[in-house]
Amino acid sequence: DIVANVVLSTDMKVVDTKGNKREDEDLMRLLKFPNTHMTFEELLYLTTFHIKLTGNAYWLKDEMNPQGQPQSLHPLLPQHVEPIADKDTKVSAYKYMINGVAREFSADEVIHFKRPHPKKSILGIGDMEAGEPLFNEFINQNKFSENTYKKGAFPAGILVRKEFDGDASEWERTKRLWEQQYTGPKGAGSI
C-alpha cells in the first residue's frame, strides 16, 4: 500500500523523446480513464501490487483505432498470463488462461512491466519469490514453536543456588519441585 501510494503521488506527464511536454488529447483521456471500469489511479495501484507480489504486471491494449492506438487498457491477472518465448523477439505472444479457456494475445497487444529476474529473461521476480527462504524460515520456526509447546514444553530457566535466599533444606525442596516440573516426562524437550 505504501509503495502504491508513492507511485500514485509521483508527478507524471507525457513527454516526447527530448523531454518536452506533449499534448495528446486521446492519450490524456486514456490515461485518465483507461477503461470503463477503473481510473488510471486504480490501474496504477493494481499494477504496483502485481509487480510487488509477482514481479510482473500486464496491460492489454484494447479497441485499437485505425492509427493503431489503444482506446482502452485492461489489467490482466499475472497468475493467468504465460509469456510464450521466442528466440528472436524474446516473447512472441501471451497466453491468458481464464475460467479454463486460453486466449492468445500477440506481443504487440500486451504491455508487460517486470522487475529483473536473475534466472528468467522473460519474467520478473516478485517480493514473495525473492524472499521465499526468509518466509520459509519464519514459517518453519513458527511450526517448531507450536509443536514444542503442544507437547507440554514451556519456557524454563536455570536455577542457581547462589541467588537462592533459603536454607539448605528449602533449597533441596525447591530443587525437587524444579526437577519435577522441568526435567520429568512433561518437561522433556523444554526450552
Side-chain angles (χ1 to χ4, degrees):
D1 183 61
I2 292 169
V3 173
N5 280 300
V6 169
V7 170
L8 291 177
S9 67
T10 303
D11 184 32
M12 296 187 199
K13 57 187 171 193
V14 178
V15 295
D16 61 21
T17 55
K18 295 179 181 172
N20 300 317
K21 192 171 178 182
R22 182 173 168 216
E23 297 295 330
D24 186 321
E25 210 171 286
D26 291 334
L27 184 56
M28 295 313 292
R29 181 204 49 78
L30 183 63
L31 292 180
K32 190 168 185 174
F33 297 104
N35 60 60
T36 57
H37 305 291
M38 58 181 24
T39 64
F40 189 63
E41 287 79 13
E42 291 170 318
L43 180 61
L44 275 182
Y45 193 88
L46 183 63
T47 300
T48 304
F49 262 89
H50 287 171
I51 291 173
K52 287 282 291 165
L53 293 176
T54 71
N56 300 282
Y58 304 92
W59 292 355
L60 174 65
K61 298 187 277 185
D62 203 12
E63 303 174 71
M64 304 300 269
N65 68 15
Q67 292 78 34
Q69 299 167 324
Q71 300 305 294
S72 62
L73 298 169
H74 298 277
L76 300 176
L77 298 173
Q79 67 269 30
H80 299 299
V81 178
E82 180 188 338
I84 299 170
D86 182 83
K87 64 178 183 168
D88 297 322
T89 61
K90 274 190 156 180
V91 175
S92 62
Y94 293 89
K95 184 165 74 170
Y96 191 55
M97 285 292 288
I98 197 77
N99 295 329
V101 178
R103 179 142 183 229
E104 198 169 293
F105 299 109
S106 72
D108 291 340
E109 291 178 281
V110 175
I111 301 171
H112 182 181
F113 303 93
K114 64 183 176 184
R115 292 166 84 187
H117 195 298
K119 295 181 181 177
K120 301 172 185 172
S121 64
I122 63 172
L123 285 173
I125 188 168
D127 290 358
M128 299 304 280
E129 184 179 352
E132 186 176 3
L134 293 173
F135 291 117
N136 285 337
E137 182 181 339
F138 176 77
I139 290 166
N140 289 335
Q141 185 63 41
N142 194 40
K143 284 181 184 174
F144 174 78
S145 294
E146 285 176 10
N147 289 335
T148 299
Y149 292 123
K150 195 186 304 178
K151 293 175 187 170
F154 46 93
I158 298 172
L159 187 64
V160 180
R161 172 76 171 112
K162 71 178 184 178
E163 294 176 5
F164 185 76
D165 291 334
D167 63 17
S169 63
E170 284 180 276
W171 168 252
E172 290 303 319
R173 189 174 53 82
T174 302
K175 197 166 84 172
R176 275 192 308 279
L177 286 170
W178 178 269
E179 288 172 352
Q180 285 173 354
Q181 278 190 311
Y182 297 110
T183 61
K186 186 176 181 183
S190 293
I191 298 169

